[in-house]
Amino acid sequence: MVPYFILIYSVIIISLMVIVYLVKYTFAQDKGTTEMQEISTYIKEGAMAFIKRQYKTIFMLSILALFLIILSNYFGNTSKDSSTAISISFHTGIAFITGAFCSALSGYIGMYMAVNSNIRAAAGAKKGLNNALQIALKGGAVTGLAVTALSLLGVATLFLLYGGGSGNDTLIKESPSLLVGFGFGASFVALFAQLGGGIYTKAADVGADLVGKVEAGIPEDDPRNPAVIADLVGDNVGDCAGRGADLFESTAAENVGAMVLGVALYPIFGWKGILFPLVARALGIVASIVGIFTVKVKDNNDDPMKALKSGFVVTSIINLIILYFVVNNMLTGALPNGGSVNSIYLYGCAVAGILLSYVFVIITDYYTSITRKPVKEIANASETGAGTNIITGLSVGMESTALPVVCISICIFAAYKLSELALPNIANAGLYGTAIATMGMLSTCTYILAMDTFGPITDNAGGITEMSGAPEEIRNVTDRLDACGNTTKALTKGYAVGSAALATFLLFSAYLDEVKRILGKPLDSWFSVDIGKPEVFIGGFIGAMIVFLFSSTAISAVGRAAKYVILEVRQQFKEIPGIMEGTAKPDYARCVDIVTKGALKEMILPGIIVICAPVVVGMLLGKESAAGFLMITTITGVIMALFLNNGGGAWDNAKKLIELGEHGGKNSEAHKASVVGDTVGDPFKDTAGPSLHVLIKLVSTLTLVFVALFS
Amino acid sequence: MVPYFILIYSVIIISLMVIVYLVKYTFAQDKGTTEMQEISTYIKEGAMAFIKRQYKTIFMLSILALFLIILSNYFGNTSKDSSTAISISFHTGIAFITGAFCSALSGYIGMYMAVNSNIRAAAGAKKGLNNALQIALKGGAVTGLAVTALSLLGVATLFLLYGGGSGNDTLIKESPSLLVGFGFGASFVALFAQLGGGIYTKAADVGADLVGKVEAGIPEDDPRNPAVIADLVGDNVGDCAGRGADLFESTAAENVGAMVLGVALYPIFGWKGILFPLVARALGIVASIVGIFTVKVKDNNDDPMKALKSGFVVTSIINLIILYFVVNNMLTGALPNGGSVNSIYLYGCAVAGILLSYVFVIITDYYTSITRKPVKEIANASETGAGTNIITGLSVGMESTALPVVCISICIFAAYKLSELALPNIANAGLYGTAIATMGMLSTCTYILAMDTFGPITDNAGGITEMSGAPEEIRNVTDRLDACGNTTKALTKGYAVGSAALATFLLFSAYLDEVKRILGKPLDSWFSVDIGKPEVFIGGFIGAMIVFLFSSTAISAVGRAAKYVILEVRQQFKEIPGIMEGTAKPDYARCVDIVTKGALKEMILPGIIVICAPVVVGMLLGKESAAGFLMITTITGVIMALFLNNGGGAWDNAKKLIELGEHGGKNSEAHKASVVGDTVGDPFKDTAGPSLHVLIKLVSTLTLVFVALFS
């Protein structure tokens, strides 16, 4: 076991070194003109003020959750003696705190790097596209590495501390299920980070637009608009801090889930089956580092998106090679009824996962790209007004769920069957295949995360050059990066949904293993979740409804928080004379403050709904009903997230397409209609959609942690 | 058994007599001015032309389906000898044809009465509100009675013909499952009737509005608009023919489903358990007739909605009393392990069903009523533009799914548990409770259907008075009835969703019984549908996705069909000079023809998706996977339908609220924003939403008929 841990910790140390190098590289870059620096300082201060207050709220909620975890694990475990109950409560609680802390730290790092890279990317645009691209991507890479390395460090270390390294069979087999608290802590923080950040970013955006563009008639990113800084801050807190926490949670929860499933195959793989997810994750980080350093554009006319995509392909290919050796090394052994494990089939599962991530990127690109039919149709429909624009966008969003669902289904089925071929006549063998596929899909996670954080950095760089009145040629560079960033943001959302879907099937199986453990049944038995039973049907029915209710509250929260912004800006225009003439400065900080308060207030209700619903269902209707809830919430949540993300992305780009001159160009009637579509799409793709990814995984980890409470 | 059949056929004869009376009453009414008659003739001709061509298309599709049914039932039944296989194929095929024919006939009657009552209601408005209300409601009542009586006649007669009246135990027990073809035939026709009608009505509406109001600047229902007759025809083919077929299907499919479940309890109730649904339905018709005749308003200032609601309450109370005696008479018997059936608990199930229908009406009313918070919020949000109007409407629609889901869950759970109390220690006793609850909910079906058809009649009456230039006071009467009709349409949609949800849980159980029969397992065994198995999960995943894909195609079909209308109207304005001056008449019929062709073409794709998906899933992944598909399609479909119906209704009324003078009134910016919302809501509530009700039940009957094909 020791060499594997040396490998894991070496990768963590390498990641740390690369992070230090990247930070140094980024901070050594030119910080641009004084105007740029001034704006950047406002953004930085606003972002930090938000995250400080948000973390305070999340901290209090976490303490409450911790309390409940300890109580539920103590009183729920009636079948065990009191010292075991105390030990489980204690271990799960510690894991929860660690997970929550690491998740928060990931979000913080993501935001810190983004607010420091944006100005440097803006300033670097002077030296050309490649220079700006490098700064933005490397700034994003810090987040990607920090998030995945932290997740690996947390899970590996807790596993060791909880007895995974003891050599004692019983301890090794018990420790993964003590780690579920880590996943829950991570999802808990991620939910509020994504929800609060998502509400903040869109409230500021919608509010700034409505009061600036519509009421005062000033352009976007105009420094006279008091809400403009809040808008730029929003990209950082929503996309960086939010998505950072989201993907931290994915990697954490899925690692833990896969390890729990590994326990079931202990008789065959031994501890290697449990450790496999961590090793695969570690080597995936290495592959991503290589991928990141290959990204380059030749000159200013080169397509930055092509460069980023080719980096993704490089990362995927390296992972394909690495995973072959890891699977062949770790997932072997003799079968109890003779013969040995057919590892090549297990490798097939990993390949299926990697392919799925690639297919997801292609499908998302199709539905949200400016050059493809769906976006063109929406732009076309804008000619007959906002009504037809909305109808077409909704229709495109709903249609876009079909192919991803089919692909996920094929991947799960293939992984399941391949794994059964690899492990003939072994109970529950198929499930482990889905775990391997998930590891395959997540092997490119670091690279994806770097690409994702690249988005808000370039978005902010665009805003800074615009506001500081930088010359045309620099703005051209940042505009092109910004458009590219919009695409990467859409792609990573697709990726996040896909991995969430795979992950939940995995976490669901882990949940069933936990149930068996609690009921004292052997792990190779089968616990059935029969949807023909009314309590399971009802659990599922309520679960699907929660997805709609949650989306409703998240979307309406944006509207309510945006109202605060509108009122505040109107107030400032009245109180501070000379803003519109440019002789007086608006009070940016007050506006930031108002959105912060509004967003944090509004994130509570949807958060509480999601956390309480599965617990109430489990307590009233039992474990099997909670499992039904879990599965149907996942199914509906994945589809709804696809609908919201892709619909929102398509509307956004339909507007862009018209702004590029199609259908009458800017300020035409078609453009006005497309702005309505974009306004609707914003809370879809940046608030409700991404929060749903977290919701899906949160429900899984939550039921895992509270299963002892269920009747 | 004979007295019960005498009762059933007596009710059918009474219904027929009442129908004759109502038709005579309606046709004896004044047909109004020549202008009115001219317009009415256009509508009549357009509606008949549509239904003729639509039925031709449906006829061809039905022949294809019949062919597949016979083949699948013949070749699928490998376990039986060839003469049994031929007999099953033959019986199911005959039942399918009968169901399809009766469903089509129901739709035809509904439309025929509507196009003949509308002008008489318009003319009757001269004599006051009560007179117009009576004509519209009695015209609607013909449809309600015809639909439910036909369904009863069809099921009862086939049951008798298939051996239900033979006194032979085996034949009695086998005949209900031969009737499933009847349900499938009904749903098959209903799907296309609702889909084609829904696309037609909204394509005409949206097209007429866009080209009339927006482009030409003429008001709604202006005779100069060539699409205006198509728009009025649309209400008849969508709401009357479509919903008539929809509710015919509900009553048929649910009767058959309940009878199939009754077979499982044959040892206790005997044939009475199988016949109970038919008797309950028959007496429900009587209760509804009484309810319909009590509706009355005192004077022109009285609220017609209040009168209609009180009729509903009367019908419900009579049903409550009737069902008490029916349950106590039919659902009794000795339990195999001693003691006797505790019928009072079974009566509790029926009460739960009736309560559910009442609760659904209240909830739908809350979310779509002009006087309540949700609609007010949407109207309020219209002040900041179309974007916020849409966001708020979507949010309201999503939120409106929560309470109905909770209420359905409680009803199912209560019925299940009560039935278990009534039949202690009997396998699958709980399921029969859900059947009784469904019968309770559907006992008011005739009344609801009368109220529903009332909607398009008053809508058309309003259009006719408007177009014929009738005096202000008459228009006031028809306007008030029209507003009331909008509410009844929304309420019946809520009712239809609720009953579809209950029904599917019932049909799902019937499906499992069929599976057991095919597998040769005893009926009191349990066939589990384990969502933890990947094929069941995948079946469910694809099922949920189909709901989104279907909604997408239905919504976008409206957009495409509307384009034909726009092009045609533009063409007519160009070709026929003098239309705008009123010196020349537009060619209404050509416009009707274009929408008809467009709608029929566009209904094929969504129809095919829905019919093929479950069959493909069942054939590839097996019976259990198909069951997963069925359940999750239901769950998602019910919630999506609630979202679409209530969201659409709320948008519609938010526009109405503004038109009544709030937020700046007609032609204000807020009004323009609310028009956008209404345009989006139209295909939601009149095309996709109602088609989803049918989809849900179609998937159930479809899997029942094709189960033999599944691997």
Side-chain angles (χ1 to χ4, degrees):
Chain A
M1 200 184 258
V2 177
Y4 292 98
F5 270 103
I6 292 178
L7 175 71
I8 292 169
Y9 282 100
S10 305
V11 170
I12 293 171
I13 292 166
I14 292 172
S15 304
L16 203 68
M17 283 159 53
V18 176
I19 288 175
V20 170
Y21 163 77
L22 292 174
V23 170
K24 272 197 180 158
Y25 167 87
T26 311
F27 278 78
Q29 304 296 320
D30 178 25
K31 279 170 70 183
T33 62
T34 350
E35 288 86 8
M36 284 185 174
Q37 289 181 30
E38 197 194 349
I39 296 156
S40 157
T41 311
Y42 282 127
I43 299 177
K44 238 184 272 184
E45 284 172 359
M48 290 303 157
F50 172 80
I51 214 158
K52 211 171 131 189
R53 196 157 333 151
Q54 187 189 34
Y55 279 9
K56 214 186 272 171
T57 312
I58 294 180
F59 180 74
M60 308 238 264
L61 292 166
S62 303
I63 295 297
L64 196 72
L66 178 64
F67 190 67
L68 291 175
I69 290 171
I70 293 176
L71 282 184
S72 91
N73 275 286
Y74 181 73
F75 289 107
N77 276 303
T78 44
S79 59
K80 289 167 187 156
D81 61 287
S82 116
S83 74
T84 320
I86 291 177
S87 154
I88 290 180
S89 295
F90 176 76
H91 283 100
T92 308
I94 295 279
F96 172 78
I97 295 174
T98 319
F101 175 77
C102 291
S103 175
L105 185 60
S106 300
Y108 183 83
I109 293 174
M111 218 187 63
Y112 182 80
M113 278 313 294
V115 293
N116 283 298
S117 311
N118 56 14
I119 179 171
R120 292 172 171 90
K126 240 187 332 205
K127 294 195 208 148
L129 186 65
N130 189 48
N131 194 42
L133 171 72
Q134 294 300 334
I135 298 170
L137 183 62
K138 283 178 181 158
V142 173
T143 310
L145 280 169
V147 163
T148 37
L150 254 179
S151 144
L152 190 59
L153 178 68
V155 177
T157 310
L158 281 176
F159 177 68
L160 279 180
L161 290 177
Y162 286 2
S166 64
N168 174 328
D169 272 9
T170 321
L171 276 179
I172 294 177
K173 277 156 72 179
E174 270 180 3
S175 55
S177 69
L178 293 171
L179 293 178
V180 295
F182 187 81
F184 178 55
S187 358
F188 187 84
V189 169
L191 179 76
F192 288 103
Q194 183 70 67
L195 205 49
I199 294 171
Y200 183 107
T201 178
K202 287 305 123 178
D205 190 0
V206 171
D209 279 4
L210 282 179
V211 81
K213 279 197 225 170
V214 182
E215 286 187 24
I218 51 180
E220 205 172 328
D221 287 344
D222 190 302
R224 289 173 296 178
N225 188 339
V228 72
I229 293 291
D231 186 8
L232 288 169
V233 168
D235 292 315
N236 294 298
V237 304
D239 287 334
C240 298
R243 191 95 67 262
D246 177 2
L247 282 174
F248 175 82
E249 190 233 338
S250 281
T251 59
E254 286 148 36
N255 270 347
V256 174
M259 290 167 84
V260 170
L261 288 189
V263 173
L265 294 177
Y266 200 80
I268 295 160
F269 298 133
W271 52 263
K272 284 186 176 174
I274 301 176
L275 221 57
F276 168 77
L278 297 181
V279 175
R281 178 59 39 84
L283 293 170
I285 295 180
V286 177
S288 296
I289 292 175
V290 177
I292 289 165
F293 279 97
T294 62
V295 176
K296 202 163 275 158
V297 289
K298 269 184 275 158
D299 53 47
N300 279 7
N301 298 320
D302 216 1
D303 182 5
M305 197 57 227
K306 228 173 94 186
L308 288 172
K309 272 193 204 160
S310 91
F312 176 63
V313 172
V314 169
T315 310
S316 300
I317 292 174
I318 299 177
N319 270 311
L320 274 176
I321 299 165
I322 289 176
L323 281 168
Y324 177 78
F325 291 104
V326 178
V327 169
N328 269 315
N329 175 276
M330 298 187 80
L331 302 182
T332 52
L335 294 168
N337 26 17
S340 61
V341 177
N342 209 335
S343 304
I344 192 72
Y345 290 123
L346 296 179
Y347 175 62
C349 302
V351 174
I354 291 180
L355 281 180
L356 183 64
S357 73
Y358 191 72
V359 169
F360 252 79
V361 167
I362 292 174
I363 297 173
T364 315
D365 191 45
Y366 173 75
Y367 277 103
T368 56
S369 162
I370 220 155
T371 55
R372 299 309 189 93
K373 203 178 134 216
V375 169
K376 281 186 180 165
E377 271 181 359
I378 298 176
N380 204 14
S382 308
E383 287 202 5
T384 36
T388 40
N389 167 292
I390 298 289
I391 290 178
T392 315
L394 289 170
S395 168
V396 162
M398 288 177 174
E399 186 196 305
S400 77
T401 63
L403 280 177
V405 167
V406 172
C407 293
I408 295 173
S409 299
I410 293 175
C411 179
I412 290 179
F413 197 73
Y416 205 90
K417 290 291 161 195
L418 283 170
S419 187
E420 282 184 347
L421 284 176
L423 301 155
N425 302 318
I426 302 293
N428 300 339
L431 290 176
Y432 199 69
T434 60
I436 301 173
T438 311
M439 292 303 121
M441 179 154 194
L442 281 171
S443 62
T444 51
C445 168
T446 310
Y447 186 86
I448 291 279
L449 203 48
M451 240 178 29
D452 185 52
T453 318
F454 169 85
I457 293 175
T458 56
D459 187 322
N460 266 249
I464 292 173
T465 47
E466 186 83 28
M467 284 182 68
S468 63
E472 181 83 19
E473 78 227 45
I474 296 186
R475 269 197 261 171
N476 273 346
V477 169
T478 54
D479 273 1
R480 288 191 54 205
L481 281 180
D482 187 12
C484 171
N486 277 338
T487 313
T488 64
K489 278 190 272 181
L491 297 184
T492 46
K493 273 176 219 153
Y495 178 86
V497 182
S499 67
L502 274 192
T504 324
F505 194 74
L506 182 74
L507 291 166
F508 175 71
S509 317
Y511 170 80
L512 296 185
D513 277 1
E514 273 301 296
V515 171
K516 287 178 221 161
R517 203 187 307 275
I518 287 179
L519 298 177
K521 287 186 175 182
L523 279 186
D524 59 359
S525 67
W526 184 267
F527 181 82
S528 100
V529 179
D530 186 348
I531 192 128
K533 292 186 187 163
E535 63 268 26
V536 179
F537 176 77
I538 290 171
F541 204 17
I542 293 176
M545 176 272 278
I546 288 294
V547 169
F548 279 74
L549 184 59
F550 175 82
S551 305
S552 164
T553 50
I555 289 171
S556 64
V558 171
R560 280 193 299 272
K563 248 183 208 154
Y564 303 134
V565 182
I566 295 175
L567 295 176
E568 168 64 19
V569 171
R570 283 186 191 153
Q571 186 77 7
Q572 288 205 17
F573 277 140
K574 224 188 291 172
E575 276 178 11
I576 312 172
I579 290 186
M580 284 300 283
E581 295 73 33
T583 54
K585 272 239 150 83
D587 189 345
Y588 298 128
R590 227 174 69 192
C591 213
V592 167
D593 199 50
I594 293 281
V595 203
T596 304
K597 277 186 200 152
L600 294 182
K601 196 180 130 201
E602 298 291 346
M603 77 180 183
I604 305 292
L605 177 69
I608 297 291
I609 290 174
V610 169
I611 291 169
C612 291
V615 177
V616 170
V617 166
M619 288 176 75
L620 286 181
L621 300 171
K623 296 183 181 69
E624 202 174 336
S625 180
F629 181 98
L630 177 53
M631 282 313 244
I632 317 293
T633 304
T634 303
I635 287 177
T636 321
V638 165
I639 295 175
M640 183 71 117
L642 286 165
F643 161 56
L644 297 173
N645 289 340
N646 294 341
W651 267 315
D652 192 352
N653 273 339
K655 188 187 75 170
K656 286 246 155 66
L657 186 63
I658 292 177
E659 284 174 352
L660 287 171
E662 303 268 325
H663 305 289
K666 262 193 177 173
N667 300 322
S668 63
E669 283 303 311
H671 183 239
K672 279 182 203 154
S674 73
V675 170
V676 172
D678 187 38
T679 311
V680 175
D682 268 348
F684 270 39
K685 73 179 197 306
D686 290 320
T687 311
S691 301
L692 277 175
H693 314 163
V694 190
L695 178 149
I696 296 166
K697 286 164 286 171
L698 176 71
V699 171
S700 305
T701 53
L702 184 75
T703 40
L704 265 168
V705 167
F706 287 106
V707 60
L709 273 188
F710 300 166
S711 58
Chain B
M1 202 183 258
V2 177
Y4 292 99
F5 270 101
I6 291 178
L7 175 70
I8 292 169
Y9 281 99
S10 305
V11 171
I12 293 171
I13 292 166
I14 291 172
S15 305
L16 203 68
M17 282 158 56
V18 176
I19 288 174
V20 170
Y21 163 76
L22 291 173
V23 170
K24 271 196 180 159
Y25 167 88
T26 312
F27 277 77
Q29 304 297 321
D30 178 26
K31 278 170 73 182
T33 62
T34 348
E35 288 87 8
M36 284 184 176
Q37 288 182 31
E38 195 192 352
I39 297 158
S40 158
T41 310
Y42 282 128
I43 299 176
K44 238 184 271 182
E45 284 172 358
M48 290 303 157
F50 173 80
I51 215 158
K52 210 171 132 189
R53 200 164 322 158
Q54 188 190 34
Y55 280 8
K56 214 186 274 172
T57 312
I58 294 179
F59 180 74
M60 309 240 262
L61 292 166
S62 302
I63 295 297
L64 197 71
L66 178 64
F67 191 66
L68 291 176
I69 289 171
I70 293 177
L71 281 184
S72 91
N73 275 286
Y74 182 73
F75 289 107
N77 277 304
T78 44
S79 58
K80 290 166 187 157
D81 62 287
S82 116
S83 73
T84 319
I86 291 177
S87 154
I88 290 179
S89 296
F90 176 75
H91 282 100
T92 308
I94 295 280
F96 172 79
I97 295 174
T98 319
F101 175 77
C102 291
S103 175
L105 185 59
S106 301
Y108 182 83
I109 294 173
M111 217 187 63
Y112 183 79
M113 277 313 293
V115 294
N116 283 299
S117 310
N118 55 15
I119 178 168
R120 293 173 170 89
K126 241 188 329 205
K127 295 195 209 147
L129 186 65
N130 189 46
N131 193 43
L133 172 71
Q134 294 299 336
I135 298 171
L137 183 62
K138 284 179 180 157
V142 173
T143 310
L145 281 168
V147 164
T148 38
L150 253 179
S151 144
L152 190 59
L153 177 68
V155 176
T157 309
L158 280 176
F159 178 69
L160 279 179
L161 290 178
Y162 286 2
S166 63
N168 174 328
D169 273 9
T170 322
L171 277 179
I172 294 177
K173 277 155 73 179
E174 269 178 5
S175 55
S177 70
L178 293 172
L179 293 178
V180 295
F182 186 81
F184 178 55
S187 0
F188 188 84
V189 169
L191 180 76
F192 288 103
Q194 182 70 68
L195 205 49
I199 295 171
Y200 183 107
T201 178
K202 288 305 123 178
D205 189 359
V206 171
D209 279 5
L210 282 179
V211 82
K213 280 198 226 169
V214 182
E215 286 187 23
I218 50 179
E220 203 171 329
D221 287 343
D222 190 300
R224 289 172 295 176
N225 188 338
V228 71
I229 294 290
D231 186 7
L232 289 169
V233 169
D235 292 314
N236 294 298
V237 303
D239 287 335
C240 299
R243 189 97 67 262
D246 176 2
L247 283 174
F248 175 83
E249 190 233 339
S250 281
T251 58
E254 286 148 37
N255 271 347
V256 174
M259 290 168 83
V260 171
L261 288 189
V263 174
L265 295 177
Y266 200 80
I268 296 161
F269 298 134
W271 52 263
K272 283 188 178 174
I274 301 176
L275 220 57
F276 166 76
L278 297 181
V279 174
R281 177 59 39 83
L283 292 171
I285 295 179
V286 177
S288 295
I289 293 175
V290 177
I292 289 165
F293 279 96
T294 62
V295 176
K296 202 163 276 159
V297 288
K298 269 182 275 158
D299 53 48
N300 278 6
N301 298 320
D302 215 3
D303 182 3
M305 197 58 228
K306 228 172 95 186
L308 288 171
K309 272 193 204 159
S310 90
F312 176 64
V313 172
V314 169
T315 310
S316 301
I317 291 174
I318 299 177
N319 269 311
L320 274 176
I321 298 166
I322 290 176
L323 281 168
Y324 177 79
F325 292 104
V326 177
V327 168
N328 269 315
N329 176 276
M330 297 188 82
L331 302 182
T332 52
L335 293 169
N337 27 19
S340 63
V341 176
N342 208 334
S343 304
I344 191 73
Y345 289 123
L346 295 179
Y347 175 60
C349 303
V351 175
I354 292 180
L355 281 180
L356 184 64
S357 74
Y358 192 71
V359 168
F360 251 78
V361 167
I362 292 174
I363 296 173
T364 314
D365 191 44
Y366 173 75
Y367 277 104
T368 55
S369 162
I370 220 156
T371 54
R372 300 308 189 93
K373 205 178 132 214
V375 170
K376 281 185 181 166
E377 271 181 0
I378 298 176
N380 204 14
S382 309
E383 287 202 2
T384 36
T388 40
N389 167 291
I390 299 289
I391 291 177
T392 314
L394 290 170
S395 169
V396 163
M398 288 177 173
E399 187 196 303
S400 76
T401 63
L403 280 177
V405 167
V406 172
C407 293
I408 295 172
S409 300
I410 292 174
C411 178
I412 290 179
F413 196 73
Y416 206 90
K417 289 292 161 195
L418 283 170
S419 185
E420 282 184 346
L421 284 175
L423 301 155
N425 302 319
I426 302 293
N428 300 338
L431 288 176
Y432 198 69
T434 60
I436 300 173
T438 311
M439 290 306 120
M441 179 153 195
L442 281 170
S443 63
T444 52
C445 169
T446 309
Y447 186 87
I448 290 279
L449 202 50
M451 245 185 15
D452 186 52
T453 317
F454 169 85
I457 294 175
T458 56
D459 187 323
N460 265 251
I464 291 173
T465 47
E466 185 82 28
M467 283 182 68
S468 63
E472 182 81 21
E473 77 227 44
I474 295 186
R475 268 197 262 171
N476 273 346
V477 169
T478 54
D479 274 1
R480 288 190 55 205
L481 282 180
D482 187 13
C484 171
N486 277 336
T487 312
T488 64
K489 279 191 270 180
L491 297 184
T492 45
K493 274 176 219 154
Y495 178 86
V497 182
S499 67
L502 273 193
T504 324
F505 195 74
L506 181 74
L507 290 167
F508 175 71
S509 317
Y511 171 80
L512 296 186
D513 277 2
E514 271 303 294
V515 171
K516 286 178 223 160
R517 202 187 307 273
I518 287 180
L519 297 178
K521 288 185 176 184
L523 279 186
D524 58 0
S525 67
W526 184 267
F527 181 81
S528 101
V529 180
D530 186 349
I531 191 130
K533 290 187 189 163
E535 64 269 25
V536 179
F537 176 78
I538 290 171
F541 204 17
I542 292 175
M545 177 272 279
I546 289 294
V547 169
F548 279 75
L549 184 60
F550 175 82
S551 305
S552 164
T553 49
I555 289 170
S556 64
V558 171
R560 279 192 300 273
K563 246 181 211 154
Y564 303 133
V565 181
I566 295 175
L567 294 176
E568 167 64 21
V569 172
R570 283 186 191 152
Q571 187 76 7
Q572 289 205 16
F573 278 140
K574 223 187 294 172
E575 277 178 11
I576 312 171
I579 290 186
M580 284 300 282
E581 295 74 32
T583 55
K585 273 238 150 87
D587 188 347
Y588 299 127
R590 226 173 72 192
C591 214
V592 167
D593 198 51
I594 293 281
V595 203
T596 304
K597 278 188 199 150
L600 294 182
K601 196 181 131 199
E602 298 292 344
M603 79 180 184
I604 305 291
L605 177 69
I608 297 290
I609 290 175
V610 170
I611 291 169
C612 292
V615 176
V616 170
V617 166
M619 288 177 75
L620 287 181
L621 299 171
K623 296 183 182 70
E624 201 175 337
S625 181
F629 180 98
L630 178 53
M631 283 311 244
I632 318 292
T633 303
T634 303
I635 287 178
T636 321
V638 165
I639 295 176
M640 184 69 117
L642 287 167
F643 162 56
L644 297 172
N645 289 342
N646 293 341
W651 267 314
D652 192 352
N653 273 340
K655 189 187 74 169
K656 287 245 156 66
L657 186 62
I658 292 177
E659 284 173 353
L660 287 173
E662 303 268 324
H663 305 290
K666 262 195 175 171
N667 300 321
S668 63
E669 283 303 312
H671 183 239
K672 279 182 201 154
S674 73
V675 170
V676 173
D678 187 38
T679 312
V680 175
D682 268 347
F684 270 39
K685 71 180 199 307
D686 290 320
T687 312
S691 302
L692 277 175
H693 314 164
V694 189
L695 178 149
I696 296 167
K697 285 164 287 171
L698 175 70
V699 171
S700 304
T701 52
L702 184 75
T703 42
L704 264 168
V705 166
F706 287 107
V707 59
L709 272 188
F710 300 166
S711 59

